[in-house]
Amino acid sequence: MKQLPLAVLFLALLALLTPMLAQNRNVATRIGFVDADALVQAHPDYRRVQELQAQARRELAPLEERLRPLDQKVRAGQASARERQDHEALMKSYQDTLKKWQDRQNALLKPILEEVDGAIAKVAKAQGFAVVMSRQVAAQSGLVVYADEDTDLTQAVLRELRR
């Protein structure tokens, strides 16, 4: 007698789950990957970011050269009071200059990243991918151990960006 209620319960549960299972069949469940760095670097406006980075290196290099010997003395505990003051002032100047260049770079990168993200979303939707991950982040984190090559959307996204 206990078998009958258990069977009825199982059938009722199956009847409830069947519509949910059928409904989920049409939902995209594929996971894709992209080489995010390659996509950003392939963007036509990325050249401007590289030029800005070169300008930043040219401005920061002399500050780094002046800072390096002072930094060594301060770390070794061999700096005079005047050298520590110079180190502090030079470090502040370096950090302010670095922040200025980072802010300018971020302003140039923002529209590039938005366009790349849009192209990734468009390709993913068109090809039935529910999730797209950065190949580098997935590999470094150990989150993904294996991914078939047909899950790599990088080339498709590059074609979309060139349109």
Side-chain angles (χ1 to χ4, degrees):
M1 267 206 165
K2 288 187 179 186
Q3 294 291 347
L4 185 60
L6 185 58
V8 172
L9 181 63
F10 178 73
L11 287 174
L13 183 60
L14 185 61
L16 287 173
L17 289 178
T18 300
M20 290 191 316
L21 292 173
Q23 182 180 15
N24 286 335
R25 282 192 193 136
N26 296 329
V27 175
T29 57
R30 294 176 64 195
I31 297 175
F33 298 91
V34 293
D35 183 340
D37 292 340
L39 293 173
V40 170
Q41 292 170 8
H43 192 281
D45 293 339
Y46 189 71
R47 177 186 47 77
R48 292 176 39 214
V49 174
Q50 290 173 312
E51 291 168 359
L52 189 75
Q53 289 171 337
Q55 290 173 348
R57 283 191 297 274
R58 284 191 297 272
E59 186 173 336
L60 289 168
L63 291 172
E64 290 170 353
E65 283 182 36
R66 291 176 42 210
L67 192 56
R68 194 172 297 118
L70 285 173
D71 193 50
Q72 289 172 348
K73 279 188 172 184
V74 168
R75 289 178 189 266
Q78 299 171 342
S80 67
R82 174 73 179 156
E83 288 172 325
R84 283 194 303 275
Q85 281 181 326
D86 290 348
H87 177 265
E88 199 172 302
L90 196 53
M91 185 62 99
K92 178 165 179 14
S93 176
Y94 180 83
Q95 290 171 342
D96 291 346
T97 303
L98 181 62
K99 181 173 179 352
K100 171 189 80 172
W101 286 108
Q102 287 173 334
D103 290 346
R104 291 174 75 183
Q105 179 178 314
N106 290 342
L108 281 178
L109 276 173
K110 186 176 184 211
I112 293 171
L113 294 173
E114 288 172 353
E115 194 171 329
V116 168
D117 288 348
I120 291 169
K122 186 174 182 180
V123 169
K125 285 179 185 175
Q127 293 189 17
F129 285 87
V131 175
V132 178
M133 301 171 69
S134 165
R135 183 171 292 285
Q136 295 90 334
V137 173
Q140 289 171 352
S141 68
L143 181 66
V144 176
V145 178
Y146 170 79
D148 196 310
E149 284 302 313
D150 72 342
T151 62
D152 189 336
L153 301 175
T154 304
Q155 292 305 315
V157 175
L158 282 173
R159 287 190 295 276
E160 180 63 31
L161 281 171
R162 290 182 184 130
R163 288 184 183 176

